[in-house]
Amino acid sequence: EKVTFESAEGCYSQAVIRRKDIRVKWAVKAFTDVGENGPIYSQGVYLSLGSPPSLTSSSSYVPKSVLYTAASSNVDEGKVLQNLSTNWFEDKSQYPKYGETNLSIQKYVGERTKVQTYRTLYEQNGDESAKDVKCMYWAPKTYQMDICTVDGNVGSDEVVVLEKGVLYKQKFVERKKLFPEGIRSFPFFHFQEWKRIYR
């Protein structure tokens, strides 16, 4: 008997994008997106744990943890990782900005613009060819119009936000002096986590 497996990325992406009552942000290059030329592949991923609770800590105290990697595949930057203290982010004299909880890692620049999917191209412009798009070979055709952007018009230096059923994109830069020299951090969550519970 032949069994066909289907990627859940198409169906849950379509289910999310068609909603008008939720807000979602897609951050590019999460830690789960690993390529052989990237620092994660060559230098690894580091997990730094905060200080353990002390006698004066509250019962709700939970040590902070930070995931990070080298800023590049350069061997010297890998050495920087190994020499960092395991709780470097608690040193407010050297990394004061990191402790500011209202300061995001990504700083938006420029104006926000709409992202066009092939669904909007078809419904708003009547473009029949939009029905034939296929950008994710592992997802069934049923979902392609909703998950494919026209002309691949979202760059690796942009985030995408869904608000009231409309997709927007905006460029970002990483804030300076949040992390020690030579290291970077990325969003960790990946929508693949939904695959376990979506169906």
Side-chain angles (χ1 to χ4, degrees), residues 33-74:
D33 299 325
V34 178
E36 291 187 15
N37 297 323
I40 296 173
Y41 188 85
S42 59
Q43 311 283 11
V45 176
Y46 285 69
L47 171 64
S48 273
L49 301 176
S51 300
S54 65
L55 294 174
T56 57
S57 299
S58 69
S59 58
S60 61
Y61 172 78
V62 177
K64 188 170 186 175
S65 59
V66 181
L67 277 169
Y68 57 94
T69 187
S72 76
S73 298
N74 186 294

Side-chain angles (χ1 to χ4, degrees), residues 107-156:
K107 178 183 178 182
Y108 297 129
V109 293
E111 61 180 286
R112 191 170 73 162
T113 57
K114 285 185 180 181
V115 175
Q116 188 173 42
T117 64
Y118 282 86
R119 173 75 61 187
T120 58
L121 187 66
Y122 172 70
E123 293 182 350
Q124 295 174 11
N125 301 338
D127 189 336
E128 290 290 331
S129 66
K131 292 180 178 180
D132 300 322
V133 67
K134 192 166 178 81
C135 64
M136 290 174 65
Y137 66 87
W138 58 92
K141 186 177 179 180
T142 313
Y143 312 116
Q144 300 291 327
M145 283 176 46
D146 293 293
I147 60 180
C148 299
T149 58
V150 177
D151 298 325
N153 58 3
V154 178
S156 61

Side-chain angles (χ1 to χ4, degrees), residues 2-14:
K2 185 177 181 181
V3 178
T4 302
F5 290 94
E6 178 184 316
S7 170
E9 287 181 304
C11 54
Y12 66 60
S13 295
Q14 185 185 70

Side-chain angles (χ1 to χ4, degrees), residues 48 66 68 84-91 95 178-180 183:
S48 273
V66 181
Y68 57 94
L84 274 176
S85 165
T86 55
N87 59 343
W88 58 264
F89 48 86
E90 294 178 345
D91 187 343
Y95 314 109
L178 279 180
F179 297 97
I183 79 166

